[in-house]
Amino acid sequence: MAARRAIFVDRDGTLSHEVGYVNHLSRFRLFPFAASAVRAINNSGFLAVVVTNQAGVARGYYPESLVHEVHDALRSELSGGGARLDGVYVCMHHPSVGEPPYRLDCDCRKPKPGLVLRAAADLDIDVKRSYVVGDREGDLELAWNVGARGVLVKTGYGLGELRNRAPQWPRQPDMVAEHLLEAVQRIVAESKDGRA
Ligand SMILES: [Mg+2]
Ligand SMILES: [Zn+2]
């Protein structure tokens, strides 16, 4: 049995400001609590794994190289705050827009489970004892599609999702947190309590 647990973290709206498409490095701005939140994951024994849809590549808004540039900057900024990511998994596909190879009805565009399942295989993660934290319904669906717990943060689209759409959702988030740091603190606390 896989021993390791992970907190899968959405990028835009959860780790960094939701600004629409990050089509230039200058548009990527981490939240002030991002490094503290990832450091708290590092100290908890959970793995910290980013899972993000970047269909702007398929749409031709920016090249794949920009995504890597942004993630290099992300890792370097986090590292300056004493935090590290155990993995970054990206879907750059869109089922119907753009050109191959990015125009693809893939298995990894969230809420499909591909990114989480790849990370689980690479890093030996027990997904059913793991969490997905994000600011949109699709992040919660991703969690439930793999049997993990889904946490909604109020940053990014989160507050609007909660106010405008959550009342109609057939299933409510397993946890709602102000932001990623609070989410991590509560996940770690409930894990220690033996409640999860
Ligand atoms: Mg998001
Ligand atoms: Zn994909």
Side-chain angles (χ1 to χ4, degrees):
M1 192 189 85
R4 303 208 276 183
R5 308 171 76 180
I7 300 179
F8 294 96
V9 182
D10 168 53
R11 193 189 87 181
D12 301 329
T14 303
L15 263 179
S16 58
H17 290 269
E18 171 58 67
V19 298
Y21 290 99
V22 177
N23 65 347
H24 189 275
L25 182 57
S26 63
R27 282 167 61 75
F28 185 71
R29 289 182 297 119
L30 276 186
F31 283 126
F33 51 77
S36 303
V38 174
R39 207 168 55 232
I41 300 176
N42 297 153
N43 293 335
S44 71
F46 282 86
L47 297 178
V49 180
V50 170
V51 285
T52 180
N53 284 353
Q54 295 299 326
V57 175
R59 293 177 178 278
Y61 296 164
Y62 47 90
E64 178 169 348
S65 59
L66 176 71
V67 174
H68 299 306
E69 195 186 335
V70 168
H71 292 161
D72 288 347
L74 166 63
R75 285 181 184 277
S76 137
E77 222 178 307
L78 289 176
S79 155
R84 80 184 140 67
L85 297 173
D86 297 290
V88 177
Y89 290 81
V90 190
C91 170
M92 305 191 209
H93 308 115
H94 191 282
S96 58
V97 179
E99 300 297 329
Y102 301 113
R103 190 186 70 223
L104 179 71
D105 189 14
C106 65
D107 66 357
C108 57
R109 180 172 160 83
K110 297 187 296 180
K112 289 185 175 176
L115 298 181
V116 164
L117 297 182
R118 264 164 51 204
D122 291 348
L123 303 170
D124 191 29
I125 293 166
D126 182 353
V127 292
K128 297 199 165 28
R129 297 171 60 237
S130 296
Y131 291 77
V132 178
V133 183
D135 67 319
R136 301 184 82 164
E137 183 184 20
D139 297 301
L140 300 172
E141 290 173 336
L142 169 65
W144 298 329
N145 284 342
V146 297
R149 291 180 178 77
V151 181
L152 186 74
V153 287
K154 294 184 185 174
T155 51
Y157 285 103
L159 201 54
E161 289 279 72
L162 209 52
R163 180 167 304 165
N164 305 318
R165 301 182 67 226
Q168 286 83 49
W169 289 344
R171 178 171 173 181
Q172 295 301 306
D174 296 302
M175 180 190 295
V176 175
E178 292 299 320
H179 48 59
L180 178 62
L181 177 57
E182 186 197 296
V184 171
Q185 289 167 337
R186 287 172 52 195
I187 289 168
V188 172
E190 81 174 17
S191 306
K192 282 193 182 134
D193 281 359
R195 274 187 282 143

